[in-house]
Amino acid sequence: MLFKKISIALLIVGWFSSAAVAIAQQPSAFTEIPLAPQFDLAPHQAPEARAQLNQVKQNINQARAQLALIMRGEAPLNASFTLGEGTPGAVQMTNQGLLKGWFENYVFAQFTHARSMGELATQRLTFVNELNTRCQSDTVYQHLANNVVLPQMQTFLTGNFHPAVKYNAMLIVGQMNQQSNYNPDQTRRVPVPSSAALGFLLQNIEGAAANDAILLASWVGILRHTGMNRLTNHISGPNQVAIATQALNLLNQDPNASGRTISGQTWFQRRALEVLAAIGRDNGQILSRIVEIIKDDNAPISLRLSAAKALHYFYYDAQTKVAVEDTLNALGLLSIKICRNELARVEAEKEAEAAAVAGGVGDLGAGMGGAMGGMDGGMGGMDGGMGGMDGGMGGMDGGMGGMMGGMGGDVFGGGASVLSKEEKRRVDYSRRILAYQLYHIVLAIGKQGRQAGPNTIPSTGMVLAVTQDNAGQAALTKIQESMDALIATIRIPSAEGRVSPDEPVEEPDRETMLANLEDEVRKIESFLLPAASAVEVETPAVTPDDNDAPLVPGS
């Protein structure tokens, strides 16, 4: 079981580079920090040690109660505290000493034990959540972050600790804040990420990271900082330039030179795109590189989608401009490729099913749906787990219907369907692939803001960019109309007007839906392709290490 847990931990590194081989050759005996005897239950499990076991439990409960007072600011850090008062093993210390001992020799010590390797993510999330919800004093939070947490995480990163412990430590560094999440009146406030932690993260993305696992975790932290910076403005101008420079370098990096797998390099580059989008400023090279990726038919479709999505978040102004017409043409060609890929996937699936039936194997529809549906980006990715940006950039929380609602309603509708269960599965699977991928184009196009009323909402994407490039207005209008028509073909007809809620919705089957889709694709091709090369259709199989591959409904 221990070997299995270690192997899973190494997978994180192995996915990105050959560094897993070197790590696997390290000695099996990694450093384990012993638990403080006052909090260690393990030695007292024998029946005859019941008294000692009860005492340790009392110590833990007493320490937790005192910690709650300290974190609320009700017990000064320099005040005295006696753990186990009135018992032979009583220990006198300050509240500051209790904080240090509890976290370093109990909470963090558990991270290093072999039995914890499978629970590190849960332990990390529990620690960060408790720190952010229980600590209501700036003084205590800053003491903990700067004098206990960050030093201990750096010790993990430089010592002979398990690779999973190091990766976990780097993720914690990215979660540290500058102050408590509470105002003096105990109301919640926007978290301000730690400047000290940012300096350490920046060092790692600039070359100090020992391996790709640490670099990966560093970019996750940088992504949180840049996303939150839109609300907090805590990142200085020079640091924003330094971060953008490293992200652009990553975009320009040759995958072969990086030593990573294609999927690993793509994941890094997608995070770089999100970081650049969060910063939202161009240096004369960034936006042109993003548009270049959108146009690149040899780039993974997931990378091209992330590049399109990034266009939504830039501050388009006199200093940050983009050639709107050229960019919109690139987005239009990408939307054609998305649709043509799905049409080709369905045709390949039907051919495989026909061949299987002719051979007496049976229906392989579900299997081919999974085999041909990867498309190197498919239905989702790691954005929810690592790239949510803590509220700074928004996300896809509304699901497929919510995503596309900005273009005129819910894609998937609701209620029963006139289609059979199997046909419903097929048509919805195509809808999900198309809705997810076309959503990135919708974001890139953007939407008109609202300047009147109490809540001002800024324009976004190419709708905002066109204010700096009026020559692109005609192209913007054309693409907006084309995208509205394209998305209308995959939307389930409204359920309004039914005699009863139980009346099934009249929706097209997959063949009809895709035929309508192809009609709209041809219209887009009619005004884009004469001035561009033909769009090459790709139908790649699922890549085993591609975490972005869509799931077959029902699997």
Side-chain angles (χ1 to χ4, degrees):
M1 178 61 71
L2 174 59
F3 177 77
K4 182 177 180 181
K5 289 179 179 177
I6 293 175
S7 298
I8 292 173
L10 292 175
L11 179 61
I12 296 172
V13 180
W15 189 42
F16 290 97
S17 73
S18 57
V21 176
I23 291 175
Q25 293 172 348
Q26 292 182 21
S28 57
F30 295 104
T31 301
E32 291 189 358
I33 298 176
L35 270 62
Q38 293 84 358
F39 304 135
D40 191 0
L41 297 167
H44 312 299
Q45 298 301 317
E48 60 271 17
R50 183 175 299 275
Q52 295 95 321
L53 183 66
N54 289 336
Q55 182 58 54
V56 173
K57 290 180 178 179
Q58 290 177 21
N59 290 342
I60 292 174
N61 290 335
Q62 185 186 4
R64 287 187 182 278
Q66 185 67 11
L67 286 165
L69 296 176
I70 298 170
M71 290 189 168
R72 290 199 299 268
E74 298 174 11
L77 289 174
N78 59 359
S80 295
F81 169 72
T82 302
L83 181 67
E85 187 172 10
T87 67
V91 180
Q92 189 170 8
M93 63 191 80
T94 62
N95 286 328
Q96 182 173 306
L98 175 62
L99 282 175
K100 185 176 179 67
W102 175 263
F103 286 103
E104 288 186 357
N105 299 110
Y106 181 62
V107 175
F108 298 149
Q110 293 181 74
F111 290 0
T112 66
H113 291 198
R115 63 178 178 270
S116 295
M117 291 300 103
E119 305 296 331
L120 279 175
T122 300
Q123 291 175 343
R124 179 186 74 251
L125 293 173
T126 298
F127 161 70
V128 171
N129 181 63
E130 288 187 351
L131 180 63
N132 289 335
T133 57
R134 294 176 59 195
C135 191
Q136 301 172 11
S137 163
D138 281 347
T139 300
V140 175
Y141 189 99
Q142 290 164 358
H143 171 78
L144 262 175
N146 298 326
N147 300 314
V148 179
V149 181
L150 290 177
Q152 183 61 60
M153 296 307 110
Q154 293 186 40
T155 297
F156 284 154
L157 288 159
T158 57
N160 180 37
F161 294 93
H162 193 283
V165 175
K166 294 174 180 281
Y167 176 75
N168 193 61
M170 199 72 239
L171 291 176
I172 288 177
V173 170
Q175 289 292 321
M176 286 297 98
N177 294 329
Q178 192 75 18
Q179 58 192 14
S180 164
N181 290 351
Y182 291 85
N183 291 304
D185 63 358
Q186 303 309 308
T187 57
R188 296 297 294 267
R189 61 187 174 191
V190 175
V192 181
S194 165
S195 297
L198 177 61
F200 189 56
L201 293 166
L202 189 52
Q203 289 176 17
N204 277 272
I205 67 170
E206 288 177 332
N211 54 53
D212 272 351
I214 303 304
L215 182 60
L216 180 158
S218 300
W219 277 110
V220 171
I222 290 289
L223 183 54
R224 175 176 183 262
H225 274 263
T226 53
M228 292 301 298
N229 190 60
R230 293 207 167 202
L231 301 174
T232 61
N233 295 312
H234 70 282
I235 305 179
S236 67
N239 276 346
Q240 289 188 52
V241 171
I243 292 169
T245 299
Q246 293 303 315
L248 184 59
N249 289 344
L250 191 51
L251 280 187
N252 292 328
Q253 188 178 45
D254 182 355
N256 295 324
S258 72
R260 303 183 184 106
T261 65
I262 295 297
S263 293
Q265 179 71 356
T266 298
W267 194 94
F268 270 113
Q269 291 179 318
R270 291 175 69 193
R271 303 295 78 77
L273 285 165
E274 289 173 344
V275 166
L276 291 170
I279 294 173
R281 297 295 181 185
D282 188 25
N283 63 359
Q285 302 176 47
I286 293 170
L287 279 170
S288 60
R289 177 63 179 134
I290 290 174
V291 175
E292 183 181 309
I293 292 172
I294 294 171
K295 293 178 177 180
D296 186 2
D297 276 334
N298 294 318
I301 194 71
S302 58
L303 183 63
R304 298 176 70 186
L305 293 176
S306 291
K309 182 179 178 181
L311 294 175
H312 177 81
Y313 299 103
F314 275 82
Y315 299 103
Y316 297 101
D317 52 27
Q319 289 73 44
T320 301
K321 300 180 181 180
V322 68
V324 174
E325 183 174 5
D326 181 60
T327 303
L328 286 166
N329 287 343
L331 292 169
L333 291 173
L334 181 55
S335 69
I336 292 171
K337 188 174 186 67
I338 288 168
C339 297
R340 288 291 178 196
N341 283 347
E342 178 58 13
L343 291 167
R345 183 196 70 81
V346 171
E347 286 304 311
E349 177 187 294
K350 290 192 294 186
E351 290 175 7
E353 289 176 359
V357 170
V361 178
D363 183 5
L364 293 182
M368 283 305 299
M372 300 304 296
M375 291 195 285
D376 196 19
M379 289 291 299
M382 302 170 69
D383 296 11
M386 296 185 172
M389 298 195 203
D390 262 13
M393 295 286 288
M396 296 172 58
D397 297 333
M400 293 298 173
M403 290 188 306
M404 308 302 290
M407 299 299 287
D410 189 344
V411 171
F412 295 104
S417 172
V418 295
L419 302 177
S420 67
K421 183 177 180 180
E422 176 61 19
E423 183 56 37
K424 178 67 173 171
R425 182 195 67 78
R426 291 172 181 271
V427 71
D428 280 351
Y429 184 44
S430 285
R431 275 198 183 99
R432 290 179 185 279
I433 290 175
L434 291 164
Y436 171 76
Q437 297 194 8
L438 290 174
Y439 166 63
H440 295 74
I441 310 297
V442 172
L443 278 178
I445 293 171
K447 59 194 306 184
Q448 188 68 44
R450 184 177 65 215
Q451 304 303 322
N455 298 317
T456 299
I457 300 175
S459 298
T460 57
M462 294 300 99
V463 172
L464 176 60
V466 80
T467 61
Q468 302 297 327
D469 181 13
N470 291 330
Q473 182 61 59
L476 174 61
T477 301
K478 190 69 173 176
I479 287 293
Q480 285 176 318
E481 292 173 350
S482 298
M483 191 58 60
D484 283 343
L486 195 65
I487 290 173
T489 65
I490 65 173
R491 181 172 289 114
I492 296 176
S494 173
E496 294 181 2
R498 292 179 297 172
V499 176
S500 73
D502 296 328
E503 183 181 346
V505 176
E506 291 283 347
E507 62 173 312
D509 59 18
R510 185 175 66 175
E511 296 303 311
T512 303
M513 183 188 78
L514 294 183
N516 293 336
L517 179 79
E518 185 164 16
D519 287 343
E520 294 303 329
V521 169
R522 286 174 178 163
K523 292 177 184 178
I524 302 176
E525 289 174 338
S526 69
F527 68 85
L528 284 182
L529 288 184
S533 58
V535 176
E536 181 183 349
V537 176
E538 62 179 30
T539 56
V542 158
T543 304
D545 58 357
D546 187 355
N547 281 356
D548 292 331
L551 299 177
V552 179
S555 62

